[in-house]
Each structure stands twice: as structure tokens, then as C-alpha cells.
Amino acid sequence: METLVKPTYKKPGPDDFFKKLQKEVQEKVLGDKRIQRRNVIKTYFLLALYFGFYGCILLFGNHTPLLFLFYILLGFSMIMLFINAFHDAAHGAVFKKRKNNQRFMYVLELFGSNSWLWGKRHNALHHPYPNVQHWDTDIKQSDLVRIFPDSPLLKQHRYQHIYMFLLYPMYTMNWLFIRDFKDFFGTKDNYVKRVMKIPKIEYYKLFAAKLFNLFYLVGIPIIVLSQPWYVVLLGWLTMHIFGSMLGVIALISTHVDETAVFPLPPADGKMNVTWAEHQMMVTKDFSADNPFANFLFGGFTHHVAHHLFPHVAHTYYPYITPIIKRYAKEYNLPYTCYPAIKAIRSHFVLLKKQGAGESLFRHGEL
């Protein structure tokens, strides 16, 4: 694998906006512990919702319409639990004690994936280097889609705005049965193995989680219900399709729109912006003023606040975002918030123009 120099950011100056921002947020927002408690309550509510819908599958699943309904609701609750609670726990932002956050992260094993690897790839690669080619694992996930402007342009990419519309509903299936195995066993462009060694125990946990996930989501309903096995399997597939469609809204609305910036560090890795300036450049909010969207998507609607304050519970972000917007205006820094539908449309504009090889982005050395 090609050896790359790890990007480093410019040191903040005496008039650094982020130092002032941090101080104001600490004084005006983070002192209210009731906002933190809301996150804990929401976490347990979403966990109960997930198990409740699973129980409804076993109790009412002999009625085929109800079987599909509760599988779909289970898919929605899985994504909400991941985006809101698991994501915050991975940043140590749900519970006061670190070990409690780490324990809660095992809900990802419940979903059939590996929490150790996800936490490492997200916190060691995406958050330090969002939108940076060769480093951001959340942007570079498959050769099927061309997002980075310096990625190879393949023939099929000219149709990616069409076929990705059809493939995004299979996002969680791809994650569980393709991406996880590429992260653990792949050698080509394996960003994860560039920066960390995967402990042997995690390989065993990976397979155990997938077997357990299939057992309780497919095997037990087949055993308990009088439904044909293929109906249960179709219900499980429907769960993934609807869950993926909800989750993809958050994933494509925060970093990868038609005006996205994809910095390409110089050979020595030294970028001429600070870490906080970089986060402002490459991160967008969506539907941040919509309470329902905030409930569904947690720290993704207020994603700029999340990238600047990743270890803070997402329930604080609606109070932090107005302060960020004020500093962005004062220091002439970018801040964008789209309605969700516009953010989605903008992402597919990106796919179409990137597939055609058009140079949309500022991606020179920073």
C-alpha cells in the first residue's frame, strides 16, 4: 500500500475563532445538565422502541401485513438508534462514564457489525480528516461511486447518479455483508489498516455478531411464526431497504453536495488551515430548524456543531448552532444549511457531474 504523509493542520493564531467559540459554548450552553439528561432518556427510549418492534414481529407476525409493517418500523428504529444513540456513545457523549458509552456501543453488534472497527475508522479517520482523499473512510467506501475529484474516472461512473439511486436502499446490506469484510480482510485502498492493527478478537466478534443478527432477525421468526421462510426473509430485506433509505438521507446530506470541498494535502501533509477552519469548510447542516428532523437524525442535522464539538451530546447542538453561525459571519467562514430535500438533490447533482468528469470542486493543496 502506498505510504502517505498524515495531514497536519496549521496552528491557531491569537485571534482564533474556535477558542472564542469554545469559551462561549462552555459558558452559555454546556452548563445546563438537563439537556444532557434528555439525550440519555432519548437513548433508552430508542432502545426500547427497537426491542418493542422486534417483539411485535414475533407477536403479530403471522398476519403478513403486520409482519412487514413491524419489520419496516424495526428498520427505522435501527437507524434512529444508530444515528442518535450509538453515534453519540461512540464519541463518549451519552453517559458520564467512558465504560458505559463503550458498553452501549455493542448495539452495533446487535445490528450485525463491529463497534470497535467502526469507532476507530470514524474517530481516527473521518473526524480528523473529513473530505480528505486517502484518509476519510466515510467518503471513500466503494469504487462503484466516484466522489473524490482525484479518484479514477471509470466508464460506469457516467451512470452513477442513476444506479446509486437504486443502490442506496441496499446501504445497510452492503455495510454488513461487503464493507465490513473489506475493512477486515481487504488490502486494496484499506484506509483502516493504514493507521491501526485490528486485534484478533475483533475478527471472531465480527462473525459472531453477523450470525447472531441473522439468527434473531430471521431464524427465530421462521421458527416461531407460521409464515413461509421466504416471507420472513422478504420482511427482513424490506427492513434493510426502508432503514437504508432513512439512513442515507443523513449520510449524503452533510459532506457530499455539489459545492463540497475536497482538500488534497501537499506532499509534506501541512495544510494551511486550522482544524476548526477545515471542519467549517467541509461540513454542512440540513433541516437544522426542523424539530422532527432533529429528533430523527440527531447530530447529523446540526453536523457543523457535531464536527466542532464531537464529544458533546447532540441534544446541545440546536443551542450551539446559532453561536456557530454568528462566528462564521464575523470571521467570514462558510456555513450552509439546506432543507433535506435540497441536500439530497444536490448530492445527486454531484454524482452526475462527477460521473461526467467535470471539475466541480476546489481540491487543490491546502
Side-chain angles (χ1 to χ4, degrees):
M1 185 181 297
E2 179 186 0
T3 301
L4 297 173
V5 177
K6 184 180 292 188
T8 55
Y9 296 101
K10 185 175 71 174
K11 292 183 178 180
D15 189 36
D16 179 56
F17 87 97
F18 189 51
K19 291 179 182 178
K20 297 178 181 179
L21 175 63
Q22 284 180 303
K23 186 173 186 293
E24 185 170 343
V25 168
Q26 183 64 49
E27 292 174 351
K28 295 183 177 180
V29 179
L30 299 185
D32 191 343
K33 301 304 178 185
R34 294 172 299 176
I35 300 174
Q36 177 71 42
R37 286 195 289 273
R38 288 180 211 162
N39 195 32
V40 177
I41 293 169
K42 184 178 180 181
T43 294
Y44 284 124
F45 170 74
L46 292 175
L47 189 64
L49 201 65
Y50 180 82
F51 284 114
F53 288 139
Y54 176 69
C56 286
I57 289 172
L58 301 183
L59 289 172
F60 307 111
N62 281 325
H63 301 280
T64 302
L66 292 180
L67 176 74
F68 281 87
L69 172 64
F70 287 119
Y71 261 123
I72 290 170
L73 292 175
L74 187 68
F76 287 155
S77 64
M78 174 181 71
I79 295 301
M80 290 174 62
L81 188 57
F82 173 84
I83 286 176
N84 289 270
F86 169 82
H87 183 237
D88 269 22
H91 288 285
V94 176
F95 305 102
K96 291 181 179 179
K97 294 183 179 180
R98 182 170 177 263
K99 65 179 181 180
N100 290 338
N101 285 296
Q102 290 177 325
R103 287 170 180 167
F104 190 83
M105 286 177 66
Y106 279 108
V107 298
L108 198 61
E109 272 71 16
L110 187 69
F111 300 157
S113 189
N114 183 273
S115 59
W116 181 90
L117 184 77
W118 190 93
K120 294 297 183 183
R121 77 198 302 274
H122 186 71
N123 291 321
L125 290 167
H126 172 64
H127 268 272
Y129 317 112
N131 286 36
V132 178
Q133 186 159 341
H134 306 302
W135 293 95
D136 187 351
T137 52
D138 285 8
I139 301 298
K140 175 66 173 73
Q141 298 198 25
S142 171
D143 290 334
L144 274 175
V145 58
R146 182 176 187 258
I147 292 178
F148 283 119
D150 289 84
S151 295
L153 178 63
L154 306 177
K155 289 182 179 180
Q156 68 263 26
H157 289 150
R158 66 186 302 177
Y159 307 109
Q160 65 179 8
H161 63 290
I162 299 173
Y163 63 70
M164 288 309 299
F165 184 81
L166 302 174
L167 289 179
Y168 275 143
M170 303 302 293
Y171 182 85
T172 57
M173 295 285 286
N174 175 74
W175 179 349
L176 293 179
F177 300 110
I178 297 177
R179 195 185 85 179
D180 273 348
F181 292 103
K182 287 174 66 177
D183 283 343
F184 271 85
F185 301 100
T187 56
K188 180 185 177 183
D189 294 332
N190 194 313
Y191 294 10
V192 175
K193 290 184 178 179
R194 181 186 297 143
V195 296
M196 66 192 73
K197 183 177 180 180
I198 303 174
K200 185 179 290 188
I201 185 64
E202 300 302 332
Y203 288 87
Y204 294 110
K205 286 165 61 177
L206 176 74
F207 285 99
K210 295 191 184 305
L211 290 173
F212 178 69
N213 178 265
L214 289 172
F215 174 69
Y216 84 86
L217 286 179
V218 180
I220 290 180
I222 288 175
I223 295 170
V224 170
L225 302 176
S226 58
Q227 294 281 9
W229 65 267
Y230 54 86
V231 173
V232 173
L233 196 64
L234 188 58
W236 170 78
L237 180 61
T238 304
M239 176 197 80
H240 278 286
I241 291 172
F242 278 84
S244 293
M245 288 192 292
L246 181 66
V248 164
I249 293 172
L251 296 175
I252 68 176
S253 300
T254 52
H255 294 285
V256 284
D257 69 320
E258 60 192 295
T259 64
V261 177
F262 296 95
L264 188 64
D268 61 4
K270 295 180 180 179
M271 302 167 72
N272 66 1
V273 293
T274 67
W275 173 84
E277 289 171 339
H278 177 79
Q279 304 298 329
M280 294 288 291
M281 289 168 53
V282 302
T283 312
K284 310 264 173 77
D285 288 351
F286 74 96
S287 298
D289 296 326
N290 186 318
F292 181 65
N294 288 335
F295 180 79
L296 284 179
F297 298 113
F300 284 78
T301 51
H302 293 267
H303 213 57
V304 177
H306 172 62
H307 267 261
L308 291 174
F309 299 91
H311 304 301
V312 171
H314 75 266
T315 45
Y316 284 103
Y317 294 158
Y319 306 96
I320 296 174
T321 295
I323 304 175
I324 293 173
K325 291 167 70 174
R326 176 160 46 82
Y327 276 94
K329 185 176 181 180
E330 180 182 345
Y331 283 83
N332 196 29
L333 293 166
Y335 173 81
T336 302
C337 182
Y338 292 129
I341 190 67
K342 185 176 180 180
I344 295 167
R345 182 185 63 80
S346 184
H347 173 73
F348 281 94
V349 171
L350 175 154
L351 293 184
K352 184 174 182 179
K353 294 188 176 181
Q354 269 291 69
E358 296 183 23
S359 296
L360 283 176
F361 316 102
R362 289 181 285 133
H363 60 277
E365 296 182 354
L366 291 179

